[in-house]
Structure formats: C-alpha cells, structure tokens
Amino acid sequence: MNEKIEKLINDKGLRLDGRKPEELRPIKIEVGVLSNADGSAYIQQGKNKILAAVYGPKELHPKHLALPDRTVLRCRYHMAPFSVQERKSPAPSRREIELSKVIREALEPSLFLEYYPRTAIDIFIEVLQADGGTRCASITAASLALADAGIPMRDLVAACAAGKVDDTIVVDLMDAEDKKGTADVPVALMPNFNAITLLQMDGDLTMKEFEKAFNMALEGCRKIYTLQKEALKAKYLNVKEVEE
Amino acid sequence: MNEKIEKLINDKGLRLDGRKPEELRPIKIEVGVLSNADGSAYIQQGKNKILAAVYGPKELHPKHLALPDRTVLRCRYHMAPFSVQERKSPAPSRREIELSKVIREALEPSLFLEYYPRTAIDIFIEVLQADGGTRCASITAASLALADAGIPMRDLVAACAAGKVDDTIVVDLMDAEDKKGTADVPVALMPNFNAITLLQMDGDLTMKEFEKAFNMALEGCRKIYTLQKEALKAKYLNVKEVEE
Amino acid sequence: MNEKIEKLINDKGLRLDGRKPEELRPIKIEVGVLSNADGSAYIQQGKNKILAAVYGPKELHPKHLALPDRTVLRCRYHMAPFSVQERKSPAPSRREIELSKVIREALEPSLFLEYYPRTAIDIFIEVLQADGGTRCASITAASLALADAGIPMRDLVAACAAGKVDDTIVVDLMDAEDKKGTADVPVALMPNFNAITLLQMDGDLTMKEFEKAFNMALEGCRKIYTLQKEALKAKYLNVKEVEE
Amino acid sequence: MSSIIVRVKQKQISQLVSKGKRLDGRGLTDYREIKIEQGVVEKAEGSARVLLGKTEVMAGVKLEIGQPFSDTPNEGVLTVNAELVPLASPTFEPGPPDENSIELARVVDRGIRESKAIELEKLCIEPGKKVFVVFVDIYVLNHDGNLIDASALAATAALLNTKMFNYEIEDGEVKIKPGFSPLPIRKHPVAITFAKINNTLIVDPWLEEEQTMDARLTITVDDEGKICAMQKGGSGYFTPKQVLEAAKIAKEKAEEIRKKLNW
Amino acid sequence: MSSIIVRVKQKQISQLVSKGKRLDGRGLTDYREIKIEQGVVEKAEGSARVLLGKTEVMAGVKLEIGQPFSDTPNEGVLTVNAELVPLASPTFEPGPPDENSIELARVVDRGIRESKAIELEKLCIEPGKKVFVVFVDIYVLNHDGNLIDASALAATAALLNTKMFNYEIEDGEVKIKPGFSPLPIRKHPVAITFAKINNTLIVDPWLEEEQTMDARLTITVDDEGKICAMQKGGSGYFTPKQVLEAAKIAKEKAEEIRKKLNW
Amino acid sequence: MSSIIVRVKQKQISQLVSKGKRLDGRGLTDYREIKIEQGVVEKAEGSARVLLGKTEVMAGVKLEIGQPFSDTPNEGVLTVNAELVPLASPTFEPGPPDENSIELARVVDRGIRESKAIELEKLCIEPGKKVFVVFVDIYVLNHDGNLIDASALAATAALLNTKMFNYEIEDGEVKIKPGFSPLPIRKHPVAITFAKINNTLIVDPWLEEEQTMDARLTITVDDEGKICAMQKGGSGYFTPKQVLEAAKIAKEKAEEIRKKLNW
C-alpha cells in the first residue's frame, strides 16, 4: 500500500527488476490468436498482457459517417477491470479516450486508408494486465493485428517509451518507474520511414535529457520492430506448415 | 425494518396470508384499459398492480434495425419509483433489463412474427406496485395486451411461479416468501402446446423438489390461463353490448 | 456564505444596487461578435455576461428528424461551470433543459420557420456569468443573433423580468433579489405585435400585484427593444463604414 | 390517423371554438370530469390516481431521510419527478426524461413549492443534518391532453394521502415509533391550463385541442386566490389582455375545483 | 458468411442432430474440450482463463473493502459483471452492458450466490460497517458459443485462485498483515447449457449451433447434485418433459465435469 | 465553404509554406497577436480571456474544499476540464466531452501539473482529509485554430488571477476569515504548437492551416527552458530531426512569449 521505494536505480546502475538502463523487458509476441477477428495479436511486455484485434474493412453504420475517399479508422483502447491494482470501472475513462485517439493517430500514417472508401476498420485493444507502457505495447500489438488482417500498410509501427528515473535516462519503463520516475516519453516509429507517429511526454527534462531519452526510445522501437517481424514470420511459417 | 418473520408456514400448514401451499393469490384481470395503446391489460395479483400496453405493428426507426422477414418484438419491463418499499430510481436497473429480455422471449414463441416483416411491436409493462412474482404477472398481462391489440397468436401465455419456503413447496410466492424462501421457479406456459416459454430458477432444490415445484407452477399457469380467457371474454362481451 | 441581507429595499425606496424599482440594470449589447457563427450577439446586463450564436439554416442529421414544411428550431441554453458561485457541472441540468425549451418557444413566434423546410437552425447560448435574469437576457441576445444571421423575422423579441421584493414590485431582478425576493415574472415580448412569447412566474402574487409586475416587465421589454435596435444599427453602420 | 384527417379535425376544432363551442360539447371554460382515487399504492407513503377525462395520471409519494440544502438547514426537501412512460402515448419514448417531462415536473414542483403547500419546516429532524426528503413521482398512464393540470391534481392528492411514520431521536439515531401522522399540508395549489385556439382561450384542452392550439398557458392558484406559478408553452403567443383574462378565469376555476374536491 | 451459406449450414446442423450427430463429431451430450489456466493475471487477487473449444473467457477477481447490504450486515458482498468486449465477436459492440452481457452476468451470479459457493459470512470485517466486496469480472475474449458455461467455469476457477490479504483491526482501522489466505469457497457450481435443435436437446452448443437453435436452457448444479439456478433463453420453447430430461442430464454432466476438474 | 474551394486554399497554403510564407503574412515561426484580459468573470475565483488572433478562449478557476488523492495526502487537487461549446465552431456538437476536448484538457493539465506550476503542497488544509480542489474550466468561444496554445495561456492567466479566501481551522471545521491571498504559482508553462505542412514546420497554425497540416506537435516549456509536456496529434508523422528542431524553437518561442507577458 504505502510501501516506499527508496531507490529506482541501485548502486550498480541497475533497475528494480535488474535491468540495465538501455535494456528492454522480456517481450513475447504472438500473431493470429483470436479466431473471430480478421486479425489479432497478443503481446506480453514485462507483466503487460495485451490483446489487439482488427475487424474490417467493413460497412459503416450510420452511413452518413462514412467517407467518400477513405476508410474510417476507429480505435478503442480499453482496460479490463482486473488489469490494475485497484479495480477499474469498465466504462471508458478520460485517459482511455485520449489513448484511443493517440494510438489511432500512431497507426494511421502506416495505412493506405484510401484503398477502402466508405468503409470502417475497427481496432480493439484490451489490456488484461497493465504494468507501465501499455500504450506503446498496444501500438506494437495493434500494428501486427492490422498486418494479420491483411490491411495494406507502408510499414509496421513499433512503439517504446523512455524516461528519467533517479536522474538516469532509461528505456521501457515499468509501472513503478512510470509512477515514481520524473519523466516518460512514449514514441512510435515506422522504422523504414524514420517516421515518428506517436510522441508524448510528461515530466521535466532539459533539452539534452530529452534528446537522450528520445533516441533511446527510438532504439527501443527498432528492437521491437525486429520482434514484430519475427512474430509475423512465425505465424506465416505455421500457417504454411498447416496448409501443406 | 428489521422485523423478523419467524415462520413462513404455520402449524396448520398455512402461509402468512392464510393460503394453502397450492393456492394462488386473488387475481383480477382487465383487458383494454388504456385508450391510446393498440392493446392493453391490467392485472392485480395479490398486491401486485401491473399495466401492460402494446403498440404496433408499426414502422421502425432507424430503419437499418428492421428485419426483412419478421417483426422486431421489443419489450420494456419497468417499475414505478413508488412501487417498492425503498424508492427505485426510474433509470432501468440491471434486473429490469434482464427481465425485459426474458419476458420478451417468453412471449415471442406465441406470436406469428413473420406476418409483419420490417415492422416493430412494442410491449410496455409498468409495475405500479410490486409484491413478488411481478415477472409472471407481467407476462400474463402482456400476453392479453397482445391479444387485445389483435396480434395474431398461437396461444395465450400464462405465467406463474412456485418455490420452496420453510421446506414446503408452494405456488405463487408473495414478496415475503420470495425474499425469505429458499427457492423460486417462475414458469410461463402456452397451455394448448404444453410449451414452456419462460423458465428461471434460483435457490436450492433437489431434483424431486424441483419436479414438484415445476409441476405446481404449471398447474398455476393453467388456472391463470382460465382467468385470462375470462378477461378476454368480458371485454369482448362488453364491446358487443356497447356496439348493439 | 450565510450573510443575511436584512433589507432588499432601503428607506429611500432604493434597491441594493441603488436602483429605483422601475429602473433597469446597465445593459451593453454587441452584435456579430463571433467569427464562426452565422450570427451572434453578446449581452451584459448587470453582471450577467451572455453569448448567443446562431448556426443555420443547415442540413439536419439524422434526416428523419427533418420536417417537410418548416425548419426545426433547436436551442441550447448552457451555463459555464465558472458562471455561478458554486462550480456547475458542465452536463445540462434539468433547469437548463427547461430553459432551453421556453427560450426556444419564446423565439419561435418571431420567425418564419416555413421559409426553410427540411433544415435546422441552432441557437447556442452560453452564460459566462450569471447574476439573475439570465433567461431574459439570453432571449434578448439570441433574438439579435438570429437577426445577425439573416433569419427572416416578424419582429425582435425583447425580454425582461419583474417581481416582488420586500413587498415592492420591481423590474429586472438581480441575483440577490431573485433569491430573497418573493416573486419573479419573466416576460418576453414582440413589441410590434404586442405578443407575449415567454411568460413564467413563481412566487406569491395577488391578481393586482401580478398585473403591476406584468406591466412593469412589459415596459422593461420595450426599453430593451430600443437597445436591441441600437445594437443592430451600430453593427450595420460599422459594416457600412468598413465596406466603404 | 393520417395527417389529412388530422388537419380536417383541427380546422373543425378551430371553427367550433370561434363559435364558443368544443368538439366534445364542453363550454370554453369547462373542465372534463375529474375523478380522484387516493391510496392506490399501499407500498407508497402516499398515492393518488387522477382521471381527467381520459387522461390518467398517478402520483406516488415516498419519504426518505436525507440532508437538507445548505441554505435551508431547517427544512425538509421536496423533489418532484415526472415520467412520460411509453405506454401512455405513441409519442412517448423510453429513455431518460426529455424536455417535456422535465418541464411537467418543474411546473408541478413550482406550484407546490411556491404556494408553500407542504410545511417543510416541520420535516426537519436534526437541523443542518437530517430532514425528510419528499419524493413526488408523477406517472402519466394515459395521455389525452392537459397533463399539467392532471399531474398537479395527482401530486396534491397524493401528498394529502401521505402518512409519515412517527419517530424519536435516540443518541442521534432516528428510532421509528409505532403509528403514523399525516404529512403537514397547508395549501392546495390548483393548476389551470389554457389553450389558445383561433385567438380564443379555452381551459383544460384535450389531446386534439392541444394538437390544434397555438400556445398554452398554465396558471397555478393557491387557496387564497394568489398566483403561485405560471408557464407559457408552445410556439405561439398571447396578448397582454389574454394573459390578464386568463388570470381572472384561473382564479375562478381553481376555486371551483377546490370546492368540488373539498380541498 | 453470406446468409445463404448460413441457412444451408443450419439445415445441415439440424438434420445431423435429428440423427444424433453433430457437425464437429461430438455426441449430443458431449462437451468440447475444457482447458483452465489459473493465476493468469498476477495483479488480480484471483484469475482464470477458460477455453471451451474455441470459446475463450477470462475472469478476474478483485477484493475491496466496502459496506454490507443492510439486510445482511454480517456478510461480504458479491458483485458479478460481464463484458462482451468487441474483440471477441463481430456482433459485440463497444458501449455500456447490453441485455446479453447483463443476462450472462446475472446467470453466473445466481449460480455462485444460490449455491452459497463463497462463505460470505467469513468476509465480514466489522458487522454492518465493513466487509469484503468480491468483484468477479468476466471478460469474453472469443465467442464461439456457450458463453454461460465457459463464464461460470472461469468465475469459479478464478474464485478458487483468489488470495485475501491477512489483516487485523486496530482502532477500527483495517491493518494489513503479511501473508495471504485463500478465499473461503465451499461449493463449485457448474452450469450446463442445452440447446434445442430440431426438437432435440444437445449440450454445450457452439456458435453455429446457437445460430440454429430454437431455445436455450441453462441448469446450474451444485456439488450435492442440487439445482441452484436455471435460465431459459431464446425465442423458442421447451416441453415439460424436455425440462425434466435436461435436469437429469445436467446433474450427470456437472458431476462429470467437477470430477474432471478435481472440484 | 465548398470542398473545391477548400482544396484550392489548402494547395495555396501548402505552396506558400514551402516558400517560407503564410497566407496571413506571418513568418513560419511567428505567433498571431496575443491579447489577455484577466478577471473577466467576477464570480469565479480566477478567470481570463485569451485572444490568439481570432481564436478566443476563456478559462475560469473555481476553488472547492475536497479530499486529497490517497497517494498525495498533503497536496491540493488540480482538475482541468475543457468544453468545446458548439457556439465556437460549426464542427463542435453539444454533448459530453469528446476525444478532442478530453485531449485538449489533458494536454493543458499535463503542462500545469508536470511543471509543478501550482504549489499544490500549500493547498493542504488537513493532511489526508481536506485540501483545496482547483477546478480549471477551459471554455472555447471561437475556434480559429491552435486551441491548445490559447487554452494553456488562458489556464495560466486564470490561475495567476486566482484569489483564495483566507481561513483558519476551528474544531476541525474550516472558518473563512476576511481577505484573500493569491493562489501560489511558481511556474508559467507555455505550450508551443507546430503544424507540419508540406514537410515544413510552422508555429501557431490557424484554422485553415490546421485543415491543411499532416500532423501537429505541441511542446510545453517551463520557465527554466525545460520540457514538461509533449503531444503529437493528427494522422501524419514527424522525422526525428523535425522533433528536435521543434524542441529548440519551442524553447525560444516560450521564452519570447513569457517575456512579452511578463510571466
């Protein structure tokens, strides 16, 4: 309850969970995990457990919301009531509504939305357990779910945060670091285009510190991008095996 | 307030209101009581006072909710704020939403919904006073309101509960029996088809007890069916008298 | 907080703010104050500060709400959270919903709604500071915003309240008079037609007192009508100057 | 009913009114028959059912213990709510209260509140902390016009029928004692509603007259003939002369109704 | 899937059932494979993930300190909620709980409550004032039919997995002590759901069978073979004979499942 | 405006920007004229009206006594809310806050909160029990682009204008004493918003530039030139180089604005 974490970085420069500042948490990604969705992915990043599903392109009701020249991309980021320490009401919070927006805008640049005029694509993200950095892990998973659904895309979007804890710039903050740390910079990247599609920040950083954190987050994105591609390949190979 | 009812069945085997286990409460039914509705009925069962009204078949808005091959049956079971001991908020509770669903599904088998494609039929039920067994009394009244509206039907639906209080199986539980008793089995029946259209249960019954309660509830339904037909006849005769 | 105002009318027959019973508060009106709205007006009446904007005639969604023979007039009266002593939730209160209705019905008689079938006209009123009599000041401003939007009208609608404080009939009640007084009679008038388009009352008035208050309110409306026309002229002249 | 028939009927109603007549045979200032039945809901602290012609309204009163408003620490709290439940009319829809039900509740509320009908100061249990909250729930069961007057009658009838449990304070807790007392009522406000049709005032409009009217005016009058609430409705207007004429008639009709009801 | 294919498939399912067969090779009273994984959400006091064929349901349990209901001052409070989150099915939409999720939650709730599965009387901290509130949140992740049975299994499995922190009362305040105790569970209710297709009963319908069925009947049975909850759903009906037959089968299947799960 | 005219204008804006010019004559990193009026709502504890070109935003501050958050028992509470009231733009609709107004409020909130602009620890009345709650309500009155920067300015200006009543604690109750003190403010965060048009960054986009831009980036800078909040918006992207360039410009512009405003 009111446990006090004295130090987030120990004398050896290691973090609470033993990581080095530039080290990501263990990440497990799986693509195509839900049978009903057109595309889906599951990610474990540290204790984060997140499912993303994509439905569409599909018809849009009511019709006057449809766009004549592109698909309408919709996104819902949602946390399970049991995903956090104190039970969360299932009604969408202001935080969830904001994150749904920035996640959608992080994925939009990667898609050819003009291919499917008058339709909608729905992205549903469910956080089953939250442990810091859920918006980034959600983007990472949702981009794979879009790929799994066969939505044409320019590049995958990989996301990762960096921040400052105890005056040290570290990557991929876990919950305790997020809460007790002094800054958090979540970033999403389309690596092949060097394109930042999400960038938020809260905290207190000098220009230099920001630049360091920003670059560390970008490096994290690139590592995660590799894992994304492996997860896609794993599914593709499995499918081929099944088909043969 | 915290009055304790010691015994629900007295030494003579009689219930709090003097009824025998297999005895229904006094029932008064009236058909065609509201001038605006296409059909309506009023039921008093013990202290229950319930109005049911039917509007339709009618156009459905928004149109994409309409079905090409049948009418959409909608049902709202609602309690007046003053119908129960502690004032009830007029916003629909979870209980009211569930009961609206099971009541609708209890009435649906009795109707030829395919006669009116692309339309809607609305059933509105208002509990003015509640005294245990409102869902059954609501079904009994709503089926009559449907008949009064001239909706073609296979049979009337009559409903009645049975349950267990103080180890005795009894029919048509009143409020105190419902709350202090150990089981409640509401049943709806189309007597001519021997068709169970509503069946719920909560409590704690052996197979034998359940069978006894179930049969007692069915017997109750049949008695109520007779009263339903009398009420319809009463209205029909009145109308004829008026017309002559 | 629980300051007690002993007397609302002093020995000289003057009110808390020094006004005579039949004296209006200082009024400042400006037309065409918002660049996005089709028409707009701003009113200061005592400490009341109110903005009104008009959008339309415009298309109506969903379309089945449109009327084949006239425009649909919609009105939203809304108070800013900081406009009153105790912060007001931004969600519309029951009072705001009622006032939106009566204000709409006060403006409707002045408009030729049949000129624009199948369309909607929206009136948005924002009370930035409230000091008693906001509904009347809102009508005064909204009627000018309609004129500014070029909506064809029979006459401007001017509104003013009268009431009873300390047994004296007074016009244009301020907040303290409204709350501590014993009656309030808000009235809206189309002066050229001698047409009362809003009339409400709460309090406790004999027939004679009512008649006096009613006439005083009508007289107030006529004075405000003059100010409305001046404000329109001021805008019209400014525009002409700019155009030349 | 098709809209052509509606228009023909509206024309007929309008023409009749200009001749001082009404489609149902009433005179211009005649009310429909008023039937009141009290105590219809035994589980409520008070209740009444009102028939005004075919318009049917129920009102139920529930009492709860709650907090007073900070500016009236010594008074009970009155809360009036109205539900236009969809079984009463094809034009009523399920859902949260709309502007019509809110206006209805607030007009009835003002009549009771401004006439000081309930002796709210007698409903204080512990000043600033505990008072009785009086919930008046208006339930429209059949809408055949003039809901305001019917609802106001039902509310007052239900309040007159309301029993409060006896209690005493013991260690700051409310202890219920045996027996009941009537809710203290000092006034009987009566709402009189006018419709303006063809520039003529009629009272107690029924549904088809409401569909024909240009505007509506309600005047609520207390036992001493004072006006305690007014509300204009509808998209038309009244002349000042019509308003004063209506006020005069309202005073007479309210007295007449109060006499009939022994209020 | 186009509606023609759907209808062909429904016909096929219906014809097979009348021959005692099912499209996926099961017998009429066979369940799909049941897989249960407990403790999948470490941040919850208890959790479980259930696979019933391809139907996937998660349940999480959170404990909070709250007030008891006034009629059970010595008992903890059980609250069951179900979310049909839109990633689980193209037919689920975001928004507040609809009638389907409310029915699902309430049927699961009744099974737990009526069988007295949780020893709620052991969850009282201070009579009338402070008790544990047990939130069971059911989260449907993939809908391939028979959500009720899968959800009921997930709820019970999550409750069995739930740890309560130890505590002592100090000056009326709850002080947390080191260590955990299991939530006291005394019963393991199992819900058995039947579908009626072509006038024949089958158990554990999957999605396409649900789309074909006339009606649904759920019977929840406790460890002693007693019925603790029933719920008929769907727009069809059952005969009395079918109901009694279903009750008999439910008792057997529940025992079978309980044995398989070591409950 | 018809969509053809819109597209022509967007093309024009885009081509101008690539030549370092803007339709309204500004340089790429020039702000529109900023006008601030404080104390415009006397009934609020603090208020300000900001004109940024034709964009008009009002902010009002109300203080209430409430409970602290359990993890910061010694600090006051800050709550920022934004209303995009429909009179400000044809694209704003009445109703509960949508994603745009929530994002606006949260970005402004983060700037104030993360820069520790308010000395919240001075707003504690009784640790863990009673603190001041600071409500900042942002009210957009005319939308001509760059609502974030205008709202952030209005919020800070309103906070600087806020008076707290003096009080003393007597028997655990807050007693109001005569006089007022200013709300303790230690920082003046300034939000600088960039639009990316034709792969070029501009600051303070007005409405038609926003309709043309690919993406938006807000960087909030405190009095010491530190970044305290960032937010990318829109369906486009930025390169890492653009982000760092923006950060540099933001620092300069924030200092410039703070100097101009004497903050």
Side-chain angles (χ1 to χ4, degrees), chain E residues 200-228:
Chain E
T200 304
L201 297 182
I202 61 168
V203 303
D204 181 28
W206 60 291
L207 190 59
E208 293 190 357
E209 289 171 339
E210 286 191 349
Q211 287 161 354
T212 308
M213 72 184 175
D214 292 317
R216 190 195 72 209
L217 181 62
T218 300
I219 303 178
T220 306
V221 183
D222 73 9
D223 303 51
E224 296 157 23
K226 284 182 166 184
I227 302 175
C228 50

Side-chain angles (χ1 to χ4, degrees), chain C residues 35 49 85 87 126 129, chain F residues 40 42 62 137 139 142:
Chain C
S35 66
K49 297 184 180 185
Q85 209 57 48
R87 180 178 184 268
E126 291 293 339
Q129 182 159 266
Chain F
V40 288
E42 301 92 326
K62 300 294 290 182
D137 279 289
Y139 229 63
N142 200 57

Side-chain angles (χ1 to χ4, degrees), chain A residues 158-200:
Chain A
C160 186
K164 188 168 87 171
V165 298
D166 284 4
D167 291 318
T168 305
I169 304 296
V170 301
V171 77
D172 190 18
L173 285 69
M174 54 187 268
D175 200 25
E177 293 173 330
D178 200 356
K179 280 186 185 134
K180 312 273 170 178
T182 48
D184 186 31
V185 186
V187 176
L189 180 72
M190 291 197 289
N192 281 340
F193 292 78
N194 211 21
I196 312 290
T197 65
L198 173 109
L199 175 57
Q200 294 184 289

Side-chain angles (χ1 to χ4, degrees), chain B residues 35 49 85 87 126 129, chain D residues 40 42 62 137 139 142:
Chain B
S35 66
K49 297 185 178 184
Q85 210 56 50
R87 181 179 184 267
E126 291 292 339
Q129 183 161 263
Chain D
V40 288
E42 300 92 325
K62 301 293 290 181
D137 279 290
Y139 229 63
N142 200 56

Side-chain angles (χ1 to χ4, degrees), chain C residues 41-112:
Chain C
Y42 174 71
I43 187 167
Q44 278 191 21
Q45 185 160 359
K47 286 189 188 168
N48 288 316
K49 297 184 180 185
I50 299 169
L51 267 173
V54 168
Y55 285 89
K58 61 183 193 183
E59 258 189 278
L60 192 61
H61 291 286
K63 287 200 176 168
H64 71 91
L65 296 177
L67 298 179
D69 57 349
R70 41 163 286 184
T71 200
V72 172
L73 186 66
R74 300 184 294 193
C75 176
R76 187 176 104 127
Y77 164 95
H78 189 238
M79 301 183 90
F82 45 76
S83 63
V84 281
Q85 209 57 48
E86 209 164 321
R87 180 178 184 268
K88 199 211 143 280
S89 154
S93 67
R94 291 167 63 90
R95 179 181 165 276
E96 283 169 298
I97 292 170
E98 187 203 346
L99 291 199
S100 296
K101 179 179 190 289
V102 297
I103 291 172
R104 187 187 73 228
E105 292 173 341
L107 294 165
E108 241 177 315
S110 75
L111 303 177
F112 296 96

Side-chain angles (χ1 to χ4, degrees), chain C residues 1 33-37 42 47 49 51-55 58 76 78-88 90-92 124-132 175 179, chain F residues 39-47 54 56 58-62 64 79 81 83 85-90 92 94-95 135-139 141-144 165 176 207:
Chain C
M1 293 261 151
V33 292
L34 297 173
S35 66
N36 284 327
Y42 174 71
K47 286 189 188 168
K49 297 184 180 185
L51 267 173
V54 168
Y55 285 89
K58 61 183 193 183
R76 187 176 104 127
H78 189 238
M79 301 183 90
F82 45 76
S83 63
V84 281
Q85 209 57 48
E86 209 164 321
R87 180 178 184 268
K88 199 211 143 280
F124 298 119
I125 294 161
E126 291 293 339
V127 178
L128 302 175
Q129 182 159 266
D131 190 42
D175 200 26
K179 280 185 185 134
Chain F
V40 288
V41 179
E42 301 92 326
K43 294 213 170 184
E45 276 76 15
S47 62
K54 286 198 285 188
E56 183 173 350
M58 217 158 166
V61 177
K62 300 294 290 182
E64 285 182 14
T79 298
N81 180 56
E83 295 285 313
V85 289
L87 58 63
S89 165
F92 295 170
F135 285 98
V136 178
D137 279 289
I138 291 164
Y139 229 63
L141 298 180
N142 200 57
H143 174 22
D144 197 42
F165 57 83
I176 292 163
L207 191 59

